[in-house]
Amino acid sequence: MGEILALVEARLLAALGEPDARAAVTFLGTDRIEVLRFVDGDVVRYATLGMSAQPMADPTATLADPVKGPRAELILSVRAGLADTDKVLRPLAVLAASPQVEGVIVAPGASLDVGEPLWPGAPFSSVLVAEPGGLVEDLEMDAPVEPVRFLPLLPMTHNEAAWKRVRGAQELQERWLSHGTDLRDPLRGSVNLD
């Protein structure tokens, strides 16, 4: 487990530079989850470290495989200085711990909800899990361990989350794109869904 996390941290640092802050959260019955903060000009990126220590297991499986199964870390990017986004550390750690706590498999297209604003005054309590590979490349591991994927998180308003449940992740992403939505704006309103 420690070896995997050391490789994951090295991949994050190679892609994003040195973190300027880190915090650790431990939930009862789970491994420790760290959240690293990287500042890149006017963008702040928060990346989890610890979610990939264990493979995500199918919640219907009677016994979880300790080696095989998808592994991932989460990355959230927001514009700096517009909101107190550093308060997202605990909600991000909650999302990263959800495979261990709730037995969910976090994959592109999924919605994750923390049930409260991601940070004070945020119009978002949920995120859409986007496709990996853009910001941080997958980390290949020796078989049978699956690659670690670095999954971007896109904050969704309540209306967007409801619309996504009906129409799907692809249509919501197309709607954001066609309206030029700044998904890094921590105070943005909902995209036009008419």
Side-chain angles (χ1 to χ4, degrees):
M1 175 178 99
E3 179 185 330
I4 289 174
L5 292 184
L7 293 170
V8 168
E9 184 170 2
R11 174 60 54 95
L12 285 169
L13 271 54
L16 304 175
E18 279 296 319
D20 75 334
R22 62 173 56 207
V25 180
T26 305
F27 301 101
L28 188 63
T30 67
D31 295 326
R32 173 179 145 138
I33 302 286
E34 285 189 85
V35 179
L36 284 58
R37 182 180 72 187
F38 302 87
V39 178
D40 181 14
D42 70 338
V43 174
V44 180
R45 300 187 202 287
Y46 301 93
T48 63
L49 178 62
M51 181 178 171
S52 60
Q54 304 293 329
M56 293 181 270
D58 181 342
T60 61
T62 52
L63 198 58
D65 190 311
V67 177
K68 292 183 183 174
R71 294 176 190 261
E73 296 291 352
L74 308 175
I75 300 176
L76 174 71
S77 300
V78 293
R79 297 234 175 271
L82 301 176
D84 188 8
T85 57
D86 281 350
K87 301 282 195 235
V88 78
L89 301 179
R90 185 168 177 74
L92 263 183
V94 167
L95 296 177
S98 63
Q100 288 182 57
V101 175
E102 299 171 25
V104 298
I105 294 180
V106 178
S111 298
L112 304 174
D113 196 317
V114 294
E116 61 184 36
L118 292 175
W119 51 82
F124 323 104
S125 64
S126 62
V127 294
L128 174 65
V129 181
E131 291 292 331
L135 192 58
V136 182
E137 289 183 24
D138 292 354
L139 176 62
E140 297 296 328
M141 305 297 290
D142 292 334
V145 178
E146 292 187 29
V148 176
R149 302 170 86 196
F150 297 88
L151 302 171
L153 301 180
L154 307 174
M156 293 188 293
T157 65
H158 296 296
N159 288 344
E160 290 169 342
W163 201 80
K164 183 255 174 195
R165 281 192 293 276
V166 174
R167 299 287 192 90
Q170 185 66 39
E171 282 201 38
L172 177 59
Q173 289 178 303
E174 287 172 9
R175 178 63 56 120
W176 281 334
L177 190 60
S178 68
H179 285 80
T181 306
D182 181 1
L183 296 174
R184 293 178 179 167
D185 181 351
L187 301 174
R188 74 171 179 85
S190 187
V191 70
N192 184 344
L193 299 171
D194 293 333

